Amino acid sequence: MASADLSVILTDVILKQIIPLYTTDPFTKNLTLCGLIDCLTHAATDCSVWFTVAFTFDRFVAICCQKLKTKYCTWRTALVVIATICVLSSLKNIPWYFRYEVVYFFFIPLFCMVKLSYYSSPLWKAFDFLHRVTTPLLPFVLILLLNGLTVRYILLASRARRRLRGNGDRENHKDAEMENRRKSIILLFSISASFILLWMTQAVYTIHERVTLNYIFDRLPFVKDRLPFVIAYIGPMLQLLSSCSNTCIYVVTQSKVREELKNVFTYPFVLIVQLVT
């Protein structure tokens, strides 16, 4: 997940957004480069999203399916899942390479532009529909379903544990297992809410864009007072933020990671105290 999120930052933020914005080198307007960067960007985004789904499924199996846990939650299975997601994401996004054309001014390439056929061709419409279903609509459903089933299992197991422990025992002793389950529920809801809320703006705008065919018009300067103009730029920003939020949430909620971060921040002060004394 962390590697895929880093790939999104490298491809979508640096290669696709920052470098073309701050350079006049005609090489950055090369048609091959535009298509290649688009393929890499979509592939990295797909990997980031589906690694989140795979991790959610892994947690579901580890918590709810004890018999399957010993067979599925292994290093070999993780390797197969990671390789499969990477290969399928790469193959699925190859068509993005062919959606650009270069705009010239006296044989000087100015910029790459999406072909008009991208908005009118039935093949492109079918491909775009498949792309939007697989990222992010299907992950929305899977993450909500898996996290819902996991939370339901945790709640049922917690009720059974309370009945076994008894009311008096529960009041006199803090149940560490119940506390861990409560943290797991908070983590699952945080992941679901973060992923869906950060992706929702871009998903809704993309549907609006395909229905109204206002991809270019919504971005023209004289329509800056219109809501679609703002959403057209806010949506991708929130989507890119989603690429790192889930990894941060998973990492920060781990007690060992928090302890190591605490050691990193306190080590300089400890070292100074040791040198002084």
Side-chain angles (χ1 to χ4, degrees):
M1 287 175 57
S3 299
D5 294 341
L6 179 60
S7 299
V8 173
I9 302 302
L10 293 176
T11 56
D12 203 331
V13 177
I14 298 178
L15 292 180
K16 190 174 182 179
Q17 306 292 340
I18 297 179
I19 293 180
L21 185 62
Y22 291 99
T23 183
T24 58
D25 187 356
F27 179 72
T28 60
K29 313 299 187 301
N30 183 276
L31 183 61
T32 301
L33 188 61
C34 290
L36 181 60
I37 291 177
D38 210 28
C39 289
L40 293 175
T41 298
H42 284 92
T45 302
D46 281 6
C47 286
S48 176
V49 171
W50 282 98
F51 283 159
T52 303
V53 176
F55 194 86
T56 304
F57 181 76
D58 189 77
R59 288 180 62 87
F60 166 75
V61 172
I63 295 174
C64 304
C65 308
Q66 297 301 318
K67 294 182 179 180
L68 182 60
K69 175 182 177 180
T70 56
K71 297 181 179 180
Y72 180 82
C73 298
T74 63
W75 177 86
R76 184 180 298 276
T77 302
L79 185 61
V80 171
V81 171
I82 292 172
T84 302
I85 291 177
C86 290
V87 171
L88 292 180
S89 297
S90 301
L91 295 176
K92 165 182 169 291
N93 291 288
I94 290 178
W96 293 112
Y97 179 86
F98 304 99
R99 76 164 179 162
Y100 284 101
E101 62 183 3
V102 179
V103 177
Y104 292 92
F105 178 75
F106 291 107
F107 304 103
I108 299 176
L110 295 180
F111 54 87
C112 296
M113 185 180 72
V114 177
K115 296 178 180 178
L116 294 179
S117 62
Y118 173 73
Y119 301 99
S120 58
S121 171
L123 291 177
W124 275 117
K125 289 182 179 180
F127 171 75
D128 188 78
F129 175 77
L130 176 64
H131 174 72
R132 302 305 170 187
V133 168
T134 55
T135 307
L137 298 182
L138 184 58
F140 279 179
V141 175
L142 291 177
I143 289 177
L144 285 175
L145 177 63
L146 292 172
N147 284 346
L149 292 175
T150 304
V151 170
R152 177 178 177 274
Y153 178 87
I154 292 174
L155 292 177
L156 292 177
S158 299
R159 291 173 184 172
R161 185 178 179 85
R162 291 194 193 99
R163 289 194 295 266
L164 291 174
R165 289 176 60 88
N167 293 330
D169 191 32
R170 187 179 71 243
E171 294 175 357
N172 296 330
H173 302 281
K174 186 176 180 179
D175 192 343
E177 180 65 23
M178 293 292 293
E179 185 68 17
N180 290 334
R181 293 177 179 179
R182 185 183 67 84
K183 292 180 180 179
S184 296
I185 293 177
I186 294 175
L187 173 62
L188 293 175
F189 276 119
S190 299
I191 292 296
S192 301
S194 171
F195 180 78
I196 293 176
L197 290 177
L198 292 177
W199 267 89
M200 186 61 69
T201 302
Q202 178 66 0
V204 172
Y205 177 77
T206 301
I207 296 174
H208 161 80
E209 174 188 280
R210 295 297 299 185
V211 172
T212 61
L213 302 180
N214 285 337
Y215 179 82
I216 298 177
F217 183 75
D218 285 344
R219 291 166 171 80
L220 294 178
F222 57 81
V223 293
K224 284 188 177 180
D225 58 331
R226 301 177 70 243
L227 184 60
F229 182 88
V230 179
I231 298 178
Y233 292 95
I234 292 179
M237 180 184 67
L238 295 178
Q239 175 190 323
L240 292 174
L241 180 61
S242 173
S243 298
C244 60
S245 63
N246 286 344
T247 301
C248 292
I249 292 174
Y250 278 127
V251 169
V252 171
T253 53
Q254 304 300 315
S255 57
K256 292 183 180 180
V257 175
R258 293 199 303 270
E259 186 65 27
E260 291 299 327
L261 288 176
K262 180 181 177 182
N263 294 335
V264 169
F265 288 116
T266 58
Y267 179 76
F269 300 100
V270 174
L271 185 60
I272 292 174
V273 172
Q274 291 177 351
L275 292 175
V276 172
T277 57

